[in-house]
Amino acid sequence: MDYQLEGKTVIITGITDSSSLALVIAKECKQLGAKLICTGLGKTEFHQNLSEAGYSFLERTYSDFTQTVKKELGDDVITYPLDVTIQANIDSFADFLQTSQISVHALLHSIAMDKTIRQGKVKPIMTVSREEFMDAMNVSAFSLLALTQSLYQRNLLAKKGSIVALSYLGAEKIVSHPYKNIGIAKSALERLVKEMAMELGKEIQVQVNAIRFSPYRASKAGSAIEGLEQAENNCEQMAPLGNASAKDLAEEVAYLFRPGNRITGEIRHVDGGYHIRG
Ligand SMILES: NC(=O)c1ccc[n+]([C@@H]2O[C@H](COP(=O)([O-])OP(=O)(O)OC[C@H]3O[C@@H](n4cnc5c(N)ncnc54)[C@H](O)[C@@H]3O)[C@@H](O)[C@H]2O)c1
C-alpha cells in the first residue's frame, strides 16, 4: 500500500494561525508529497454590508492565515479566501480550481463556529435561538456538504479520493464540559459523512470519514470552550493512552487520504482511547 501523497492535490480548510489543527495536518500531507491548496476565512467581494469591525476582523484573519501558510508551509502553497456561509464564495473557489484544471484528491474539513460560545461561556441549550442554532449548523456541518457539492458538480473530485472532517466525542454524548449547541452541529456533520460516503462511494469511489479528536485547548476554537482545560487534564488521566497529539491526528488524516483505500463512512477516534470510558 502506498502511503505517499506524491502528486496528489489536497485542500486544507481551517487554518487560522500556527495553533490550528489544520496546519499540523497540512504539514503532514506536504511531507508526504502532497500539493496543498489552503483556504482561509477572509474578506471577499461577496461580503456585503458588513460593519467596519466586521471587515477589519476578516482582513486581520486572512492576513494571519496567509502569513502562517507562507511561513509554515512555504511560498508554493496556493491560498484562497473562503467564507463557507456564502455559496457564491464556495462556487468561486470551485470555479478557480476548474479554471486552473486542478483535480482534488483529498479534502480536509476543519471548520467550526458557534456563536453561543462567547468569552469562555457556553449558553444553555434552553436559551439557544433559532439563528444561533442555524448558524452553527451552517458553518460547522452544512459547509462540508456545500463545499463537496460544488466540487462534485464540476467533476473536480478525483476518483478514489478522500474527504475527512474533524469532529468530537461531544457529537454523541454529553461530555464533562459544556459542548451543547456545537455538539448538535457535530452530530449533523457525522451523519452527513455517512450519507456522503454512501453516494460518493457508489458513484466515484470517494471515501468520506470523520475523526473525533481529543480536547485540544491550544487552538483558537479550543481555547474558547468553557472548561476545556479541565477536560484536557481529565481525558489525559482517564484515556488508556492519554490524550492524542495533533501529530497523531495528522498521521491518521494522512492515512485516510491514501488514494484508493476502502475505509468509508467511519467515525474514528483519535483520542488515546478516551471514548471507551464510561
Ligand atoms: N480544539 C479541540 O478541542 C477540537 C477537538 C476535536 C475536534 N476539533 C475540531 O477541529 C476543527 C479545527 O478546530 P481547531 O481546534 O484547529 O481550531 P481553529 O480555530 O484553528 O479552527 C477553526 C476554523 O474554522 C474556521 N471558520 C469559522 N467560521 C468559518 C467560515 N464561515 N468560513 C470558513 N472558515 C471558518 C476558522 O477560521 C478556523 O480556521 C474544528 O472542526 C473543531 O471542531 C477541535
Side-chain angles (χ1 to χ4, degrees):
M1 181 60 76
D2 184 5
Y3 289 81
Q4 293 298 311
L5 296 173
E6 209 65 57
K8 305 293 174 200
T9 298
V10 175
I11 295 179
I12 302 280
T13 64
I15 296 176
T16 301
D17 55 26
S18 59
S19 71
S20 294
L21 292 168
L23 180 68
V24 186
I25 296 164
K27 281 185 177 168
E28 184 71 23
C29 294
K30 186 169 170 143
Q31 205 199 322
L32 291 170
K35 188 176 153 219
L36 301 179
I37 299 174
C38 297
T39 68
L41 185 59
K43 188 178 142 194
T44 67
E45 62 185 292
F46 308 106
H47 288 98
Q48 304 285 331
N49 306 321
L50 279 185
S51 63
E52 273 305 307
Y55 281 125
S56 62
F57 166 77
L58 287 176
E59 273 169 359
R60 210 172 45 247
T61 303
Y62 196 66
S63 157
D64 288 349
F65 156 71
T66 49
Q67 281 175 32
T68 303
V69 169
K70 203 170 167 183
K71 182 166 160 249
E72 306 270 355
L73 298 170
D75 287 333
D76 55 329
V77 173
I78 297 171
T79 50
Y80 198 94
L82 179 63
D83 182 338
V84 292
T85 62
I86 304 175
Q87 190 59 44
N89 193 177
I90 292 178
D91 291 340
S92 81
F93 173 55
D95 286 342
F96 158 76
L97 296 175
Q98 191 170 38
T99 309
S100 315
Q101 296 186 312
I102 294 171
S103 176
V104 178
H105 298 95
L107 166 66
L108 174 72
H109 182 278
S110 183
I111 294 173
M113 191 281 306
D114 176 13
K115 287 182 183 159
T116 75
I117 302 173
R118 277 276 176 271
Q119 287 149 358
K121 288 278 163 214
V122 178
K123 275 178 96 172
I125 207 72
M126 291 306 291
T127 67
V128 170
S129 69
R130 187 181 300 266
E131 196 189 344
E132 288 166 338
F133 184 89
M134 297 302 179
D135 274 354
M137 277 285 176
N138 191 13
V139 177
S140 315
F142 183 73
S143 60
L144 172 69
L145 182 60
L147 186 51
T148 308
Q149 281 173 340
S150 201
L151 301 176
Y152 171 79
Q153 285 156 6
R154 291 164 181 77
N155 283 322
L156 297 172
L157 292 174
K159 270 198 169 180
K160 301 188 175 183
S162 176
I163 297 171
V164 173
L166 299 190
S167 190
Y168 185 55
L169 189 62
E172 178 188 331
K173 296 180 181 179
I174 305 289
V175 282
S176 65
H177 60 89
Y179 200 61
K180 300 183 185 280
N181 194 41
I182 187 71
I184 296 160
K186 288 293 190 196
S187 300
L189 178 77
E190 292 185 359
R191 191 62 185 81
L192 254 177
V193 159
K194 294 181 189 180
E195 292 296 337
M196 290 169 63
M198 190 64 211
E199 291 188 11
L200 291 176
K202 283 278 181 204
E203 281 181 47
I204 45 175
Q205 290 86 53
V206 164
Q207 310 141 65
V208 190
N209 294 288
I211 300 178
R212 294 177 178 172
F213 181 53
S214 292
Y216 182 77
R217 98 194 116 96
S219 67
K220 283 238 162 76
S223 68
I225 296 174
E226 186 180 345
L228 207 68
E229 179 172 0
Q230 210 183 341
E232 221 183 60
N233 296 335
N234 201 26
C235 293
E236 174 69 18
Q237 296 286 322
M238 287 178 71
L241 302 174
N243 284 332
S245 68
K247 173 78 173 157
D248 293 328
L249 173 68
E251 286 173 2
E252 183 68 4
V253 174
Y255 180 81
L256 289 172
F257 278 171
R258 284 178 314 162
N261 67 25
R262 286 197 178 82
I263 302 166
T264 201
E266 280 257 38
I267 311 299
R268 294 199 155 191
H269 295 88
V270 176
D271 66 353
Y274 176 77
H275 66 283
I276 66 171
R277 295 299 306 259

